[in-house]
């Protein structure tokens, strides 16, 4: 039902829709390689008419190899189920390694905010000798916690 604004221009209200709509019957979708495996021969798939059906049919999967802080390889296999999986958030959700890195990043940012808002701690971090002493105390606390849990 059109909505009339004060100027007299007729406008249709916005309808909620998916980010990706179905492919029209008179259109063709070309799919690129989304997996590590090379196809033996090109495959024509006339059955898939939606993006969801394409993902269900081809099940794109990629093997990733990351390096941890010790330069050790961390291998992961990711299967993509929708277009959103290809963004930063989607890939991070599918990777335990990237989730850990994201959590570490949040922890470091949180600690940085604590240091910036705590004047005493900020003075300790700006004084090299006090900083070394603080780090030594933290290491002793970590060792104590590690030993108490064994």
């Amino acid at each position: 039902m059109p909505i009339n604004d004060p100027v007299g221009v007729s406008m249709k209200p916005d309808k909620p829709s998916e980010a990706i709509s179905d492919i029209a019957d008179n259109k063709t979708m070309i799919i690129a390689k989304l997996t590590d495996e090379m196809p033996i021969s090109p495959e024509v798939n006339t059955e898939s008419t939606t993006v969801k059906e394409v993902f269900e049919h081809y099940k794109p999967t990629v093997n990733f190899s990351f390096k941890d802080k010790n330069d050790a390889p961390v291998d992961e296999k990711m299967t993509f189920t929708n277009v959103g999986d290809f963004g930063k958030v989607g890939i991070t959700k599918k990777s335990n390694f990237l989730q850990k890195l994201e959590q570490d990043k949040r922890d470091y940012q949180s600690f940085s905010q604590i240091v910036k808002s705590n004047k005493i701690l900020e003075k300790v971090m700006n004084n090299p000798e006090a900083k070394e002493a603080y780090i030594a105390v933290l290491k002793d606390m970590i060792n104590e916690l590690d030993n108490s849990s064994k």
Side-chain angles (χ1 to χ4, degrees):
M1 185 155 227
I3 299 173
N4 291 323
D5 70 4
V7 186
V9 177
S10 180
M11 297 173 26
K12 291 183 181 178
D14 291 336
K15 293 182 191 176
S17 64
E18 292 183 272
I20 298 174
S21 59
D22 292 343
I23 299 168
D25 291 335
N26 64 348
K27 304 275 189 221
T28 301
M29 179 169 34
I30 299 174
I31 304 298
K33 179 179 175 279
L34 300 175
T35 64
D36 290 333
E37 300 134 17
M38 291 295 292
I40 296 170
S41 62
E43 176 186 347
V44 177
N45 176 359
T46 58
E47 304 299 316
S48 300
T49 58
T50 65
V51 174
K52 181 180 179 182
E53 289 173 355
V54 170
F55 277 95
E56 288 172 355
H57 177 78
Y58 290 101
K59 297 175 181 56
T61 303
V62 177
N63 293 311
F64 285 92
S65 184
F66 302 104
K67 288 190 177 183
D68 66 9
K69 63 184 174 185
N70 299 322
D71 228 18
V74 177
D75 297 326
E76 289 188 336
K77 182 177 188 176
M78 292 185 203
T79 302
F80 302 99
T81 56
N82 62 56
V83 175
D85 290 346
F86 292 98
K88 177 186 174 192
V89 173
I91 290 175
T92 302
K93 281 183 182 178
K94 295 195 169 287
S95 167
N96 291 331
F97 177 76
L98 293 177
Q99 287 176 20
K100 170 115 176 57
L101 286 180
E102 191 68 28
Q103 183 60 48
D104 289 348
K105 176 184 165 188
R106 285 192 298 269
D107 292 344
Y108 293 141
Q109 288 172 336
S110 174
F111 184 72
S112 175
Q113 286 297 98
I114 291 169
V115 170
K116 288 177 183 176
S117 64
N118 186 322
K119 297 300 176 191
I120 296 170
L121 194 52
E122 187 176 20
K123 286 180 184 178
V124 168
M125 292 296 136
N126 290 328
N127 179 330
E129 293 142 5
K131 183 178 177 179
E132 285 296 319
Y134 182 69
I135 290 171
V137 168
L138 289 176
K139 286 180 180 178
D140 288 343
M141 289 173 58
I142 290 170
N143 287 334
E144 188 176 322
L145 288 171
D146 285 343
N147 292 334
S148 69
S149 64
K150 292 179 182 177

